[in-house]
Amino acid sequence: MSKLINDEFKNDPRILQAKKLLAQTLSEYQDKITAVKPCDPQFQDIYQQCIDLLGKRRGRPLYFPYLASGIGNGPLVELADGSVKYDFITGIGVHYMGHSHPKILEACIDAVLEDTVMQGNLQQNIKSIELSDRLVSSACANGADLKHVFLTTSGAMANENAFKIIFNRHAPASRLLAFERCFTGRSLSTAQMTNKPEYREGMPEVLKIDYVPFFDEKDPAGSTEKAVKTLSSLIEKYPGEYAGMTFELIQGEGGYYPGEQNFFVTLMEVLKKNKIAVMIDEIQTFGRTRELFAFQTFKLDSYVDVVTIGKMTQVCATLFSPDYNPKAAILSQTFTGSTTAIYACLATLDEIQNGGYLGPAGKIEQLSNYFRVKLQNIAEKFSKKLKGPFGMGAMIGMTVFDGDLETTKIFIQELYEAGVLCFLAGKNPYRVRFLMPMAGVSKEDIDHVSRIISAVIEKLNKD
Ligand SMILES: Cc1ncc(COP(=O)(O)O)c(C=O)c1O
Protein backbone atom coordinates (compact mmCIF):
# COMPACT_ATOMS: atom_id res chain seq x y z
CA MET A 1 0.00 0.00 0.00
CA SER A 2 1.36 3.42 -0.87
CA LYS A 3 1.97 5.92 1.88
CA LEU A 4 1.52 9.66 2.07
CA ILE A 5 4.78 11.51 1.68
CA ASN A 6 3.97 13.20 4.97
CA ASP A 7 3.79 9.83 6.82
CA GLU A 8 7.14 8.81 5.40
CA PHE A 9 8.62 12.19 6.36
CA LYS A 10 7.33 12.08 9.96
CA ASN A 11 8.66 8.54 10.39
CA ASP A 12 12.01 9.14 8.75
CA PRO A 13 14.66 7.75 11.15
CA ARG A 14 16.46 11.12 11.06
CA ILE A 15 13.36 12.89 12.35
CA LEU A 16 12.82 10.28 15.06
CA GLN A 17 16.45 10.52 16.10
CA ALA A 18 16.35 14.33 16.15
CA LYS A 19 13.21 14.30 18.32
CA LYS A 20 14.84 11.90 20.75
CA LEU A 21 17.95 14.06 20.94
CA LEU A 22 15.93 17.22 21.56
CA ALA A 23 13.97 15.53 24.34
CA GLN A 24 17.13 14.20 25.98
CA THR A 25 18.89 17.54 25.74
CA LEU A 26 15.93 19.44 27.17
CA SER A 27 15.70 17.00 30.05
CA GLU A 28 19.41 17.49 30.90
CA TYR A 29 19.00 21.25 31.06
CA GLN A 30 15.73 21.04 32.94
CA ASP A 31 17.52 19.07 35.64
CA LYS A 32 19.44 22.25 36.44
CA ILE A 33 16.19 23.99 37.40
CA THR A 34 15.37 22.59 40.80
CA ALA A 35 14.49 25.42 43.17
CA VAL A 36 13.66 29.11 43.52
CA LYS A 37 16.71 31.26 42.83
CA PRO A 38 17.33 35.02 43.01
CA CYS A 39 18.31 36.96 39.91
CA ASP A 40 21.88 36.97 38.66
CA PRO A 41 23.29 40.54 39.01
CA GLN A 42 25.03 40.28 35.62
CA PHE A 43 21.64 40.10 33.84
CA GLN A 44 19.90 42.67 36.01
CA ASP A 45 20.52 45.81 33.92
CA ILE A 46 19.67 44.30 30.55
CA TYR A 47 16.61 42.64 32.07
CA GLN A 48 15.36 45.94 33.43
CA GLN A 49 16.00 47.60 30.06
CA CYS A 50 13.93 44.91 28.33
CA ILE A 51 11.08 45.29 30.82
CA ASP A 52 11.16 49.09 30.43
CA LEU A 53 11.20 48.80 26.63
CA LEU A 54 8.28 46.40 26.65
CA GLY A 55 6.31 48.75 28.89
CA LYS A 56 7.16 51.64 26.59
CA ARG A 57 6.12 49.76 23.47
CA ARG A 58 2.90 48.54 25.07
CA GLY A 59 2.19 52.01 26.36
CA ARG A 60 1.78 50.70 29.91
CA PRO A 61 3.98 48.85 32.37
CA LEU A 62 3.68 45.11 32.97
CA TYR A 63 1.78 43.94 36.06
CA PHE A 64 4.98 42.40 37.34
CA PRO A 65 8.37 42.34 35.64
CA TYR A 66 8.04 38.80 34.27
CA LEU A 67 10.12 37.94 31.24
CA ALA A 68 10.79 34.22 30.83
CA SER A 69 14.12 32.98 29.49
CA GLY A 70 12.37 30.17 27.56
CA ILE A 71 12.98 27.15 29.75
CA GLY A 72 11.45 25.77 32.91
CA ASN A 73 10.85 22.58 34.81
CA GLY A 74 7.20 21.91 35.64
CA PRO A 75 6.04 24.68 37.98
CA LEU A 76 9.51 26.28 38.02
CA VAL A 77 10.36 28.84 35.37
CA GLU A 78 13.68 30.51 34.61
CA LEU A 79 13.36 34.25 33.99
CA ALA A 80 15.68 36.17 31.70
CA ASP A 81 17.40 37.75 34.72
CA GLY A 82 18.59 34.28 35.79
CA SER A 83 16.07 33.96 38.63
CA VAL A 84 13.87 30.90 39.05
CA LYS A 85 10.30 31.22 40.31
CA TYR A 86 7.34 29.01 41.08
CA ASP A 87 4.66 29.75 38.51
CA PHE A 88 1.37 29.36 40.39
CA ILE A 89 -0.62 31.55 38.00
CA THR A 90 0.55 30.11 34.63
CA GLY A 91 -0.29 33.13 32.49
CA ILE A 92 -3.73 33.15 34.20
CA GLY A 93 -4.41 29.51 33.63
CA VAL A 94 -2.73 28.83 30.30
CA HIS A 95 0.31 26.64 31.05
CA TYR A 96 -1.56 23.73 32.60
CA MET A 97 1.26 21.35 31.71
CA GLY A 98 3.89 23.52 33.41
CA HIS A 99 7.05 24.80 31.76
CA SER A 100 8.97 22.81 29.13
CA HIS A 101 6.82 19.69 29.60
CA PRO A 102 8.31 16.86 27.51
CA LYS A 103 4.90 15.93 26.08
CA ILE A 104 4.32 19.51 24.98
CA LEU A 105 7.79 19.62 23.44
CA GLU A 106 7.00 16.47 21.49
CA ALA A 107 3.60 17.79 20.38
CA CYS A 108 5.11 21.11 19.30
CA ILE A 109 7.93 19.45 17.35
CA ASP A 110 5.34 17.38 15.50
CA ALA A 111 3.40 20.59 14.87
CA VAL A 112 6.32 22.57 13.48
CA LEU A 113 7.00 19.72 11.09
CA GLU A 114 3.57 20.35 9.58
CA ASP A 115 3.35 22.55 6.50
CA THR A 116 1.72 25.65 7.99
CA VAL A 117 2.11 27.76 11.12
CA MET A 118 -1.59 28.51 11.41
CA GLN A 119 -4.73 26.63 10.52
CA GLY A 120 -7.92 28.29 9.44
CA ASN A 121 -11.30 27.84 7.93
CA LEU A 122 -9.87 27.13 4.50
CA GLN A 123 -6.75 25.37 5.79
CA GLN A 124 -7.31 22.52 8.21
CA ASN A 125 -5.02 19.57 8.80
CA ILE A 126 -6.04 16.17 10.14
CA LYS A 127 -5.35 17.08 13.77
CA SER A 128 -7.95 19.85 13.66
CA ILE A 129 -10.57 17.22 12.93
CA GLU A 130 -9.23 14.97 15.68
CA LEU A 131 -9.40 17.88 18.11
CA SER A 132 -12.91 18.94 17.09
CA ASP A 133 -14.16 15.39 17.44
CA ARG A 134 -12.40 14.91 20.79
CA LEU A 135 -13.93 18.08 22.22
CA VAL A 136 -17.42 17.14 21.06
CA SER A 137 -17.25 13.55 22.34
CA SER A 138 -15.84 14.72 25.70
CA ALA A 139 -18.55 17.38 26.03
CA CYS A 140 -21.31 14.88 25.18
CA ALA A 141 -19.90 12.10 27.44
CA ASN A 142 -22.58 12.45 30.13
CA GLY A 143 -25.52 13.29 27.91
CA ALA A 144 -25.06 16.91 26.84
CA ASP A 145 -26.11 17.62 23.27
CA LEU A 146 -23.07 19.70 22.25
CA LYS A 147 -22.57 18.07 18.87
CA HIS A 148 -20.83 20.98 17.16
CA VAL A 149 -17.67 22.95 17.81
CA PHE A 150 -16.08 26.02 16.29
CA LEU A 151 -12.41 26.58 17.05
CA THR A 152 -10.89 30.01 17.52
CA THR A 153 -7.90 31.86 18.92
CA SER A 154 -9.07 33.61 22.09
CA GLY A 155 -11.58 33.24 24.87
CA ALA A 156 -13.17 36.56 23.96
CA MET A 157 -13.64 35.39 20.38
CA ALA A 158 -15.11 32.07 21.55
CA ASN A 159 -17.61 34.09 23.59
CA GLU A 160 -18.29 36.48 20.68
CA ASN A 161 -19.11 33.45 18.54
CA ALA A 162 -21.35 32.12 21.32
CA PHE A 163 -23.26 35.41 21.51
CA LYS A 164 -23.70 35.41 17.72
CA ILE A 165 -24.98 31.84 17.67
CA ILE A 166 -27.43 32.61 20.46
CA PHE A 167 -28.71 35.86 18.93
CA ASN A 168 -29.07 34.18 15.56
CA ARG A 169 -31.18 31.40 17.06
CA HIS A 170 -33.38 33.78 19.06
CA ALA A 171 -33.64 36.71 16.63
CA PRO A 172 -34.97 39.36 17.06
CA ALA A 173 -34.20 39.10 20.81
CA SER A 174 -31.50 41.67 21.55
CA ARG A 175 -30.62 41.37 25.25
CA LEU A 176 -28.39 39.01 27.22
CA LEU A 177 -28.34 38.08 30.88
CA ALA A 178 -25.26 37.57 33.02
CA PHE A 179 -24.22 37.44 36.66
CA GLU A 180 -22.99 40.31 38.75
CA ARG A 181 -19.16 40.15 39.05
CA CYS A 182 -18.91 38.19 35.78
CA PHE A 183 -15.97 38.34 33.37
CA THR A 184 -16.34 37.29 29.74
CA GLY A 185 -13.43 38.99 28.01
CA ARG A 186 -12.08 42.23 26.59
CA SER A 187 -13.59 42.56 23.11
CA LEU A 188 -16.21 45.23 22.62
CA SER A 189 -19.18 42.98 23.36
CA THR A 190 -17.55 40.76 25.97
CA ALA A 191 -16.25 43.87 27.78
CA GLN A 192 -19.83 45.11 27.68
CA MET A 193 -20.93 41.99 29.51
CA THR A 194 -17.95 41.88 31.90
CA ASN A 195 -19.35 43.50 35.01
CA LYS A 196 -16.56 46.06 35.47
CA PRO A 197 -17.39 49.53 34.13
CA GLU A 198 -13.70 50.51 34.22
CA TYR A 199 -12.96 47.87 31.53
CA ARG A 200 -15.28 49.61 29.05
CA GLU A 201 -14.55 53.21 29.79
CA GLY A 202 -15.11 55.38 26.72
CA MET A 203 -16.64 52.54 24.72
CA PRO A 204 -20.10 52.75 23.18
CA GLU A 205 -22.84 50.43 24.43
CA VAL A 206 -22.92 47.57 21.92
CA LEU A 207 -25.10 45.11 23.80
CA LYS A 208 -27.89 45.30 26.29
CA ILE A 209 -26.93 43.23 29.32
CA ASP A 210 -28.86 42.79 32.55
CA TYR A 211 -27.37 41.27 35.69
CA VAL A 212 -28.59 38.66 38.13
CA PRO A 213 -26.99 38.31 41.60
CA PHE A 214 -24.71 35.29 42.01
CA PHE A 215 -24.90 32.50 44.58
CA ASP A 216 -23.92 33.32 48.15
CA GLU A 217 -22.53 30.33 50.01
CA LYS A 218 -23.43 31.98 53.32
CA ASP A 219 -27.07 32.06 52.27
CA PRO A 220 -27.76 29.34 49.65
CA ALA A 221 -31.56 29.43 49.85
CA GLY A 222 -31.82 33.20 50.19
CA SER A 223 -29.41 33.93 47.34
CA THR A 224 -31.15 31.42 45.07
CA GLU A 225 -34.48 33.04 45.80
CA LYS A 226 -33.04 36.51 45.19
CA ALA A 227 -31.49 35.44 41.87
CA VAL A 228 -34.69 33.79 40.63
CA LYS A 229 -36.70 36.84 41.65
CA THR A 230 -34.38 39.17 39.76
CA LEU A 231 -34.32 36.89 36.72
CA SER A 232 -38.10 36.51 36.67
CA SER A 233 -38.74 40.22 37.03
CA LEU A 234 -36.27 41.01 34.21
CA ILE A 235 -37.99 38.49 31.94
CA GLU A 236 -41.31 40.06 32.85
CA LYS A 237 -39.94 43.54 32.16
CA TYR A 238 -38.49 42.59 28.75
CA PRO A 239 -40.73 39.80 27.42
CA GLY A 240 -39.20 37.96 24.45
CA GLU A 241 -36.14 40.21 24.45
CA TYR A 242 -33.61 37.86 26.06
CA ALA A 243 -31.65 35.55 23.78
CA GLY A 244 -29.46 33.90 26.40
CA MET A 245 -27.79 33.94 29.79
CA THR A 246 -24.07 33.43 30.39
CA PHE A 247 -22.92 31.37 33.38
CA GLU A 248 -19.47 31.18 34.96
CA LEU A 249 -20.01 28.23 37.28
CA ILE A 250 -17.05 29.29 39.37
CA GLN A 251 -16.54 33.02 39.01
CA GLY A 252 -12.90 33.62 38.07
CA GLU A 253 -11.86 37.24 37.62
CA GLY A 254 -14.82 38.05 39.91
CA GLY A 255 -12.99 36.52 42.89
CA TYR A 256 -13.21 32.69 42.87
CA TYR A 257 -16.80 32.26 43.94
CA PRO A 258 -18.31 28.84 43.11
CA GLY A 259 -22.03 28.34 42.67
CA GLU A 260 -24.05 25.26 43.55
CA GLN A 261 -25.94 22.75 41.45
CA ASN A 262 -29.35 23.59 42.89
CA PHE A 263 -28.77 27.32 42.33
CA PHE A 264 -27.88 26.78 38.68
CA VAL A 265 -30.65 24.26 38.03
CA THR A 266 -33.27 26.56 39.54
CA LEU A 267 -32.22 29.42 37.27
CA MET A 268 -31.80 27.21 34.21
CA GLU A 269 -35.34 25.84 34.64
CA VAL A 270 -36.64 29.41 34.44
CA LEU A 271 -34.52 30.05 31.33
CA LYS A 272 -35.70 26.86 29.63
CA LYS A 273 -39.32 27.69 30.40
CA ASN A 274 -38.84 31.07 28.74
CA LYS A 275 -36.84 29.71 25.77
CA ILE A 276 -33.66 31.57 26.72
CA ALA A 277 -30.33 29.94 25.86
CA VAL A 278 -28.08 28.56 28.59
CA MET A 279 -24.49 29.49 27.78
CA ILE A 280 -21.63 28.36 30.00
CA ASP A 281 -18.33 30.18 29.89
CA GLU A 282 -15.75 27.54 30.85
CA ILE A 283 -12.74 29.52 29.72
CA GLN A 284 -11.25 29.39 33.20
CA THR A 285 -13.04 26.38 34.71
CA PHE A 286 -12.33 23.80 31.98
CA GLY A 287 -9.99 21.09 33.28
CA ARG A 288 -9.97 22.43 36.83
CA THR A 289 -12.73 20.49 38.55
CA ARG A 290 -13.20 16.75 38.93
CA GLU A 291 -14.80 16.39 35.48
CA LEU A 292 -13.28 17.82 32.32
CA PHE A 293 -16.06 20.39 32.00
CA ALA A 294 -17.34 22.12 35.13
CA PHE A 295 -20.90 21.75 33.79
CA GLN A 296 -20.31 17.99 34.07
CA THR A 297 -19.11 18.37 37.65
CA PHE A 298 -22.27 20.36 38.47
CA LYS A 299 -24.37 17.84 36.49
CA LEU A 300 -25.91 20.42 34.18
CA ASP A 301 -25.52 18.34 31.02
CA SER A 302 -29.18 18.39 30.12
CA TYR A 303 -29.40 22.20 30.32
CA VAL A 304 -26.42 23.44 28.30
CA ASP A 305 -26.96 24.94 24.84
CA VAL A 306 -23.63 26.65 24.22
CA VAL A 307 -20.28 26.23 26.02
CA THR A 308 -17.00 28.07 25.53
CA ILE A 309 -13.52 26.90 26.53
CA GLY A 310 -10.04 28.40 26.35
CA LYS A 311 -6.85 29.17 28.24
CA MET A 312 -5.32 25.76 29.12
CA THR A 313 -6.64 24.26 25.90
CA GLN A 314 -4.37 26.63 23.93
CA VAL A 315 -7.03 26.54 21.24
CA CYS A 316 -10.32 28.22 22.20
CA ALA A 317 -13.67 26.84 21.17
CA THR A 318 -17.42 27.31 21.15
CA LEU A 319 -19.45 24.11 21.48
CA PHE A 320 -23.14 24.16 20.65
CA SER A 321 -26.14 21.91 20.19
CA PRO A 322 -27.74 21.18 16.79
CA ASP A 323 -30.60 23.48 17.76
CA TYR A 324 -28.12 26.36 17.87
CA ASN A 325 -26.25 25.50 14.69
CA PRO A 326 -26.70 28.74 12.73
CA LYS A 327 -28.07 28.47 9.25
CA ALA A 328 -26.71 31.85 8.23
CA ALA A 329 -22.98 32.31 7.47
CA ILE A 330 -22.27 34.11 10.73
CA LEU A 331 -19.25 32.06 11.85
CA SER A 332 -15.98 32.48 10.06
CA GLN A 333 -12.48 33.81 10.60
CA THR A 334 -9.05 33.41 9.03
CA PHE A 335 -7.46 31.53 11.94
CA THR A 336 -8.84 28.61 13.92
CA GLY A 337 -5.57 28.25 15.79
CA SER A 338 -1.85 27.73 15.39
CA THR A 339 -0.76 24.24 14.46
CA THR A 340 1.32 24.05 17.66
CA ALA A 341 -1.72 25.07 19.74
CA ILE A 342 -3.83 22.34 18.13
CA TYR A 343 -1.20 19.66 18.80
CA ALA A 344 -0.54 20.97 22.32
CA CYS A 345 -4.26 20.94 23.07
CA LEU A 346 -4.52 17.28 22.09
CA ALA A 347 -1.48 16.41 24.21
CA THR A 348 -3.00 18.25 27.18
CA LEU A 349 -6.35 16.46 26.76
CA ASP A 350 -4.48 13.13 26.58
CA GLU A 351 -2.73 13.93 29.83
CA ILE A 352 -5.91 14.94 31.67
CA GLN A 353 -8.20 12.26 30.32
CA ASN A 354 -5.73 9.36 30.51
CA GLY A 355 -3.41 10.43 33.31
CA GLY A 356 -5.62 10.02 36.38
CA TYR A 357 -6.57 13.69 36.79
CA LEU A 358 -10.35 13.41 36.82
CA GLY A 359 -12.82 11.96 39.31
CA PRO A 360 -13.21 12.46 43.06
CA ALA A 361 -9.80 10.88 43.75
CA GLY A 362 -8.05 12.28 40.68
CA LYS A 363 -4.96 14.46 40.66
CA ILE A 364 -6.96 17.68 40.29
CA GLU A 365 -8.83 17.07 43.53
CA GLN A 366 -5.82 15.62 45.34
CA LEU A 367 -3.39 18.42 44.52
CA SER A 368 -5.97 21.16 45.00
CA ASN A 369 -7.06 19.78 48.36
CA TYR A 370 -3.45 19.42 49.42
CA PHE A 371 -2.81 23.11 48.65
CA ARG A 372 -6.07 24.12 50.33
CA VAL A 373 -5.08 22.35 53.56
CA LYS A 374 -1.71 24.13 53.47
CA LEU A 375 -3.41 27.52 53.04
CA GLN A 376 -5.86 26.62 55.78
CA ASN A 377 -2.95 25.92 58.11
CA ILE A 378 -1.37 29.28 57.26
CA ALA A 379 -4.74 30.97 57.85
CA GLU A 380 -4.93 29.36 61.28
CA LYS A 381 -1.35 30.33 62.13
CA PHE A 382 -1.88 33.97 61.16
CA SER A 383 -5.47 34.38 62.22
CA LYS A 384 -7.22 37.13 60.29
CA LYS A 385 -4.17 37.84 58.11
CA LEU A 386 -5.23 35.27 55.56
CA LYS A 387 -8.80 34.26 54.86
CA GLY A 388 -9.78 31.31 52.75
CA PRO A 389 -8.95 29.24 50.84
CA PHE A 390 -11.81 30.08 48.48
CA GLY A 391 -12.78 28.77 45.05
CA MET A 392 -13.27 25.20 43.93
CA GLY A 393 -11.06 22.48 42.45
CA ALA A 394 -7.89 23.93 40.99
CA MET A 395 -9.18 27.51 41.16
CA ILE A 396 -7.83 28.53 44.53
CA GLY A 397 -8.08 31.99 46.06
CA MET A 398 -7.51 33.71 49.40
CA THR A 399 -7.86 37.14 50.95
CA VAL A 400 -4.81 38.65 52.62
CA PHE A 401 -5.09 41.11 55.50
CA ASP A 402 -8.19 43.28 54.89
CA GLY A 403 -8.47 42.46 51.21
CA ASP A 404 -7.94 46.08 50.19
CA LEU A 405 -6.36 46.72 46.81
CA GLU A 406 -3.14 48.26 48.04
CA THR A 407 -2.24 45.53 50.56
CA THR A 408 -3.24 42.77 48.17
CA LYS A 409 -1.02 44.25 45.46
CA ILE A 410 1.87 44.58 47.91
CA PHE A 411 1.41 40.93 48.91
CA ILE A 412 1.43 39.79 45.26
CA GLN A 413 4.55 41.84 44.59
CA GLU A 414 6.31 40.53 47.73
CA LEU A 415 5.39 36.97 46.82
CA TYR A 416 6.81 37.59 43.35
CA GLU A 417 10.07 38.83 44.87
CA ALA A 418 10.14 35.77 47.12
CA GLY A 419 9.74 33.49 44.10
CA VAL A 420 6.04 32.69 43.62
CA LEU A 421 3.78 34.01 40.87
CA CYS A 422 0.11 34.60 41.65
CA PHE A 423 -2.47 37.21 40.65
CA LEU A 424 -5.34 39.41 41.75
CA ALA A 425 -9.06 38.61 41.53
CA GLY A 426 -12.34 40.06 42.77
CA LYS A 427 -13.07 43.42 44.33
CA ASN A 428 -14.07 44.48 47.85
CA PRO A 429 -12.53 42.30 49.06
CA TYR A 430 -9.75 41.78 46.55
CA ARG A 431 -8.42 38.26 46.49
CA VAL A 432 -5.20 36.53 45.54
CA ARG A 433 -5.66 33.70 43.07
CA PHE A 434 -3.61 30.67 42.11
CA LEU A 435 -3.84 28.55 38.96
CA MET A 436 -1.27 25.81 39.38
CA PRO A 437 0.25 23.96 36.45
CA MET A 438 -1.69 20.80 37.29
CA ALA A 439 0.38 18.48 35.09
CA GLY A 440 3.69 19.72 36.40
CA VAL A 441 3.21 20.27 40.11
CA SER A 442 3.94 17.89 42.98
CA LYS A 443 3.01 17.94 46.67
CA GLU A 444 6.60 18.84 47.39
CA ASP A 445 6.29 21.91 45.17
CA ILE A 446 3.14 22.89 47.04
CA ASP A 447 5.05 22.51 50.33
CA HIS A 448 7.75 24.90 49.08
CA VAL A 449 5.22 27.44 47.82
CA SER A 450 3.23 27.28 51.06
CA ARG A 451 6.37 27.96 53.09
CA ILE A 452 7.10 31.01 50.91
CA ILE A 453 3.51 32.29 51.31
CA SER A 454 3.76 31.86 55.07
CA ALA A 455 7.07 33.74 55.19
CA VAL A 456 5.68 36.64 53.15
CA ILE A 457 2.59 36.93 55.39
CA GLU A 458 4.89 36.91 58.41
CA LYS A 459 7.08 39.62 56.90
CA LEU A 460 4.14 41.88 55.99
CA ASN A 461 2.58 41.28 59.38
CA LYS A 462 5.70 42.71 61.02
CA ASP A 463 6.05 45.68 58.62
C1 LIG B 1 -14.34 33.23 32.33
C2 LIG B 1 -13.55 33.92 31.25
N1 LIG B 1 -14.15 34.22 30.09
C3 LIG B 1 -13.49 34.81 29.08
C4 LIG B 1 -12.16 35.15 29.19
C5 LIG B 1 -11.46 35.82 28.06
O1 LIG B 1 -10.50 35.00 27.50
P1 LIG B 1 -9.31 35.63 26.64
O2 LIG B 1 -8.49 36.46 27.58
O3 LIG B 1 -8.57 34.45 26.08
O4 LIG B 1 -9.92 36.47 25.56
C6 LIG B 1 -11.50 34.86 30.39
C7 LIG B 1 -10.09 35.24 30.56
O5 LIG B 1 -9.60 35.47 31.64
C8 LIG B 1 -12.20 34.24 31.44
O6 LIG B 1 -11.61 33.95 32.61
Side-chain angles (χ1 to χ4, degrees):
M1 209 172 87
S2 65
K3 277 189 179 161
L4 289 173
I5 296 169
N6 184 44
D7 290 335
E8 289 179 11
F9 167 55
K10 299 287 163 54
N11 290 299
D12 186 294
R14 289 169 295 177
I15 298 278
L16 301 180
Q17 173 70 5
K19 278 173 64 173
K20 213 164 139 187
L21 261 175
L22 281 167
Q24 275 169 1
T25 312
L26 173 66
S27 164
E28 278 171 29
Y29 284 90
Q30 276 192 294
D31 286 347
K32 295 173 182 231
I33 302 171
T34 52
V36 165
K37 211 173 90 178
C39 76
D40 181 332
Q42 67 166 319
F43 299 122
Q44 223 168 357
D45 286 350
I46 182 78
Y47 189 84
Q48 194 53 49
Q49 282 166 25
C50 288
I51 294 290
D52 292 346
L53 183 62
L54 187 54
K56 211 162 128 187
R57 292 291 172 255
R58 277 164 38 104
R60 68 210 62 243
L62 295 171
Y63 187 79
F64 35 57
Y66 175 97
L67 194 57
S69 75
I71 192 168
N73 188 3
L76 290 166
V77 55
E78 183 191 58
L79 301 196
D81 63 0
S83 66
V84 172
K85 295 191 190 293
Y86 267 112
D87 186 358
F88 264 41
I89 192 60
T90 56
I92 320 190
V94 179
H95 320 302
Y96 193 90
M97 300 284 277
H99 293 267
S100 304
H101 195 291
K103 288 182 182 169
I104 295 294
L105 174 76
E106 192 185 356
C108 288
I109 295 171
D110 288 341
V112 295
L113 294 174
E114 296 272 303
D115 58 327
T116 56
V117 174
M118 300 296 288
Q119 303 202 19
N121 283 335
L122 284 188
Q123 295 261 307
Q124 314 246 8
N125 292 10
I126 296 283
K127 290 284 179 186
S128 278
I129 304 165
E130 194 180 318
L131 177 58
S132 300
D133 193 50
R134 178 82 166 265
L135 290 174
V136 163
S137 56
S138 306
C140 295
N142 303 338
D145 192 27
L146 299 165
K147 293 208 175 65
H148 305 293
V149 64
F150 197 82
L151 306 181
T152 190
T153 48
S154 74
M157 197 60 212
N159 280 344
E160 287 276 343
N161 285 335
F163 295 169
K164 285 162 72 177
I165 288 169
I166 289 169
F167 277 128
N168 182 264
R169 166 71 182 76
H170 292 284
S174 61
R175 306 185 87 89
L176 289 174
L177 290 147
F179 283 114
E180 288 169 5
R181 278 197 314 244
C182 78
F183 182 87
T184 48
R186 300 289 209 141
S187 66
L188 213 50
S189 72
T190 55
Q192 187 75 58
M193 179 176 276
T194 291
N195 196 205
K196 274 204 172 172
E198 59 269 38
Y199 287 179
R200 58 182 119 89
E201 211 178 286
M203 290 184 234
E205 192 186 29
V206 291
L207 270 183
K208 289 178 217 130
I209 316 279
D210 296 298
Y211 297 95
V212 173
F214 196 67
F215 180 71
D216 179 358
E217 63 178 8
K218 291 193 204 101
D219 182 14
S223 60
T224 306
E225 199 185 310
K226 198 170 145 201
V228 171
K229 223 167 145 184
T230 307
L231 176 63
S232 304
S233 69
L234 283 167
I235 294 172
E236 210 177 300
K237 189 169 167 195
Y238 299 109
E241 286 194 41
Y242 288 112
M245 175 158 180
T246 307
F247 288 72
E248 260 178 289
L249 303 176
I250 306 162
Q251 294 196 305
E253 167 88 14
Y256 283 25
Y257 295 94
E260 249 183 18
Q261 194 210 15
N262 178 56
F263 173 77
F264 294 129
V265 166
T266 309
L267 290 175
M268 287 175 187
E269 289 286 351
V270 176
L271 296 172
K272 290 282 157 188
K273 216 167 78 198
N274 288 281
K275 298 194 172 24
I276 297 170
V278 171
M279 169 189 161
I280 312 223
D281 177 341
E282 293 240 18
I283 287 158
Q284 200 161 148
T285 51
F286 183 83
R288 293 188 221 277
T289 62
R290 57 178 62 173
E291 302 286 336
L292 190 60
F293 289 85
F295 77 76
Q296 294 170 329
T297 302
F298 284 96
K299 301 202 181 331
L300 302 169
D301 305 73
S302 60
Y303 293 94
V304 293
D305 296 306
V306 180
V307 174
T308 53
I309 59 168
K311 289 188 182 283
M312 52 83 76
T313 46
Q314 318 295 308
V315 182
C316 302
T318 311
L319 293 128
F320 47 100
S321 71
D323 192 29
Y324 280 82
N325 191 8
K327 291 183 186 55
I330 58 165
L331 296 182
S332 188
Q333 60 212 11
T334 304
F335 298 139
T336 51
S338 73
T339 308
T340 45
I342 289 162
Y343 272 71
C345 182
L346 280 163
T348 306
L349 290 175
D350 277 346
E351 178 72 12
I352 300 179
Q353 292 181 300
N354 306 323
Y357 287 77
L358 301 172
K363 282 186 199 168
I364 293 173
E365 285 292 301
Q366 273 186 34
L367 290 166
S368 305
N369 289 340
Y370 190 78
F371 191 25
R372 278 171 200 283
V373 170
K374 291 277 164 185
L375 292 177
Q376 184 73 49
N377 292 343
I378 301 172
E380 276 161 25
K381 185 172 161 201
F382 299 100
S383 67
K384 301 209 173 86
K385 307 296 180 249
L386 188 161
K387 289 186 207 80
F390 305 109
M392 182 176 160
M395 290 171 66
I396 300 173
M398 61 187 197
T399 306
V400 287
F401 298 91
D402 292 332
D404 62 290
L405 181 58
E406 213 36 51
T407 319
T408 310
K409 271 184 170 170
I410 291 171
F411 174 82
I412 292 170
Q413 212 62 42
E414 287 283 342
L415 200 61
Y416 177 88
E417 295 300 330
V420 177
L421 295 160
C422 64
F423 195 47
L424 202 64
K427 193 175 183 176
N428 303 330
Y430 286 88
R431 284 179 173 176
V432 174
R433 62 174 140 167
F434 299 98
L435 290 164
M436 294 185 279
M438 298 309 290
V441 78
S442 66
K443 288 185 176 167
E444 212 186 335
D445 294 317
I446 294 173
D447 290 343
H448 287 307
V449 167
S450 304
R451 274 196 290 273
I452 296 171
I453 293 171
S454 184
V456 169
I457 299 259
E458 188 159 11
K459 176 175 180 241
L460 291 179
N461 200 25
K462 281 191 193 135
D463 286 352

